[in-house]
Amino acid sequence: METHKNLGIWMDHVAADLIDISSGTNDHIIVSDFTFEHKDEALNKSEKIMHNKQRQMQEQYYKKIADVVLKYQHILLFGPTDAKIELHNYLKSDVHFKDIKMDVKETDKMTDPEKEAYVKNHFK
């Protein structure tokens, strides 16, 4: 019997909580480098610079997540913001992810035990 590698990713634009139920490592968090300090600093220069910096740092954030996603066969992207949809579009535009099944679900903010239960329930 083949074991499927499944990953749940609860995310917003600040952090992604990666939940791998089968491995027992449910506490991997990837944090975006675009902080309020970066935003204020860039805004002081110009709004265009702020948007460019935000876009570059957001892409770096999605790349960090994508590097982990490559190890899985099926992922669940969920969370309260559009970040999950942006990541989904980012992954779909790259042929390296064509064989990875991706589900996208809208959820509210959750506690860590709620996230873990949600992922377990989704993949059972």
Side-chain angles (χ1 to χ4, degrees):
M1 183 174 172
E2 183 181 331
T3 304
H4 292 285
K5 292 192 69 172
N6 303 322
L7 179 69
I9 304 173
W10 182 96
M11 66 182 303
D12 57 21
H13 287 98
V14 176
D17 191 357
L18 284 59
I19 305 161
D20 180 346
I21 302 301
S22 62
S23 74
T25 56
N26 303 334
D27 58 356
H28 188 142
I29 296 175
I30 296 175
V31 179
S32 173
D33 293 330
F34 190 71
T35 63
F36 290 111
E37 291 81 23
H38 285 112
K39 185 175 183 175
D40 285 341
E41 177 185 319
L43 268 175
N44 285 333
K45 294 178 183 173
S46 84
E47 192 169 330
K48 183 178 180 180
I49 290 173
M50 188 271 303
H51 287 296
N52 287 338
K53 183 133 180 123
Q54 181 180 16
R55 187 173 55 246
Q56 289 171 349
M57 293 182 111
Q58 211 60 31
E59 188 164 331
Q60 290 172 358
Y61 171 56
Y62 294 150
K63 171 114 177 61
K64 287 179 196 175
I65 299 169
D67 290 344
V68 175
V69 167
L70 277 173
K71 302 172 191 164
Y72 293 87
Q73 297 167 322
H74 190 176
I75 63 167
L76 167 64
L77 302 172
F78 64 112
T81 68
D82 287 339
K84 64 192 168 296
I85 296 165
E86 293 167 10
L87 177 62
H88 180 258
N89 293 338
Y90 177 85
L91 297 174
K92 283 294 190 186
S93 70
D94 187 331
V95 297
H96 293 96
F97 301 94
K98 69 177 176 55
D99 294 328
I100 298 173
K101 184 173 186 214
M102 296 180 222
D103 300 326
V104 180
K105 302 286 183 179
E106 180 74 26
T107 63
D108 292 327
K109 290 192 177 220
M110 299 177 157
T111 64
D112 289 342
E114 288 173 329
K115 292 174 193 175
E116 189 172 326
Y118 190 83
V119 172
K120 280 182 183 178
N121 187 48
H122 182 80
F123 288 119
K124 74 175 178 180

